[in-house]
Amino acid sequence: MVSKIRFGNPVPTGAVVNGTANVNGEANLRYFEKTEQGFRFRMGKKDAVYGLGEANRGINKRGYQYVSYCTDDPNHTEEKLSLYGAHNFIVIDGACTFGVFIDNPGRVTFDIGYEKMDELNIIPEYEDLDFYIIEGDGIKDIVRQFRTLIGQSYIPPRWAFGYQQCRWSYMDADAVWEVVDGYENCGIPLSAVYLDIDYMESYKDFTINEERFPDFGNFVKEMREKNIHLVPIIDAGVKMEEGYDVYEEGVAKGYFVKDKEGRDYVTAVWPGLTHFPDFLNSEARRWFGLKYKALTDKGIDGFWNDMNEPAIFYTERGIDEVKELLKPEAGRKEDISTDKLMELKWKLNELANNDSDYKAMYHNMDGQLVNHDRVHNLYGYNMTKAAAEGLEELRPGERTLLFSRSSYIGMHRYGGIWMGDNQAWWSHILLNLKMLPSLNMCGFLYTGADIGGFGSNTTRELLLRWLALGVFTPLMRNHAALGTRLQECFRFEHTEDFKSVISCRYRLLPYLYSEYLKSVYENEMMFRPLAFDYSGDEIAGNVEDQLMLGNEVMIAPVYTQNAAGRYVYLPEPMTMIVMHENGEEEKVMEKGVHFVEMPLNRVVFFIKEDAKIPVVSTEYGRKVCNDTTEGIADSEMVWLGNKNKKYQMYTDNGHSKNKKDDVSVMEL
């Protein structure tokens, strides 16, 4: 059962597409009480709180505070309150189990036992919102109802489930060929290579640097002949440059975000001085979305949208404030005090993504002038909506790979997300794992982290361990930052170990793709905490480094350095699978805690005792690097687990947009 309580005059977000009866009045808050700051719920001693999508720390969010305000911050340390997404859905599990969705695109703070250990306080900066309460038969039913409320999740093309390689940046076509040849020479499967910002001319969206990538259309064609898809980046900021068609059209048609006086708002990002397209304006959305034609015409069928929180490096206002601070000290080193230096340091740190800059921006929401700060969390969502709707016109009936850095609930219908600029830290393997179920709760199924870590220097061991988790995530992409160690798998010693792990991904594709489709069409979670499936098991309720995958599998990755394996809790008897390029071993194990050896060149997971899963045969797995994800779909399958049980297999043609009726569902 879903109830909605409206406060004030909410901005329409598009998050909810299957509506509920509007119930007015604070008395209908049921579990919550209204306070001066917002809404308060008294938590029981054992209550757990799940959700918030892309958020820091644990699966159970109790004991800390979280701020929904899409933020460009690459340093995901434990004290950070905001990351790139804003996903205001939680489930409280205790004496009363229910879900809460706060549909408010401004800043919302969730204090979950931080100030007071027994209080959950939801504090919106602007109290114009819809407050949803969802009740049902347990956590999974509540999540299913919420997912029904917000609409069907995005489905990428099947090739996007292959292994993908990215770096900031592959500077020219020769660098891309080096990557493709490097993987091919080692026999390691590869399905896509990404083009970061340096493929563009002067960082201008929808342009190609012809010196670095001559005859780009033919280059794309040559890659496709090798079963490699090229995936270019698109940033939110449009360079201010006379003669640049996107800039000139946007100015002429009034499609950019404005300041209070109605002038096009000026910021600075990668291209220098930029304007932001007003993605909250439907005409501007359609205009920008159709600009992807410049790349689809050249054969591109995948994109990632970035810098769309939106990220701001600085504004002229901020630079003027820094200059003003420096004026009194010009030429007089002896007068520069420690306090003055610290003030200057803080001012420089505040240049990027400054709240004052966001509050100076205005949107034309189809005739209604709205301050950006009130709708901040909708910006990246609507950039990806613009792309998805444009691509539907440009590639009718065909799926396009599309995912974004910033998001709000509702964007899950148009694309996926990646988990942003993480680091080559062991702790971020675990953070990757913990975000998966929370994002699934909010409808984001096509997701994954930058394998190996985006920032800092990875190690061979760290990369292999992260790949062993990435084998299971829908988006399996290795990505690293400028200035870090080159971390393509073929650059390390004993590349056969990387081949062994990545080949497992392709062998598992029949199961992973089936479970993805099942999660989309049945509004299920692909990844779940053990607590969701084993509610009466106190040990399972406290396990946060293992996840259920689909209805059959449990995963338990290694996330510590120099580990020969790890302790694993089995909440029921399960079959352990140790998979590699040339086959697998199966071992039945009893319920309880076990130390499990996990070699670096193996993928280890567990199948429930009453289940089986389909995988590609070992023979086909040996030659997988020479074929495509489409070939895998038609290859011979074998079964792992209890072969006497039934498995419900979902499949389709892998590229057409379709409805549930177009999906083949078989009991095998």
Side-chain angles (χ1 to χ4, degrees), residues 51 92 111 133 194 230 287 388 414 431 438 502 532 565 589 606 656:
I92 296 97
D111 178 337
I133 295 176
Y194 284 69
L230 292 177
W287 164 75
Y414 302 99
L431 184 60
S438 300
I502 295 173
F532 285 25
M589 303 176 70
F606 304 85
S656 300

Side-chain angles (χ1 to χ4, degrees), residues 294-310:
L295 293 163
T296 59
D297 280 354
K298 296 184 184 297
I300 294 296
D301 56 358
F303 298 92
W304 51 313
N305 290 339
D306 197 12
M307 307 297 288
N308 53 1
E309 292 69 37

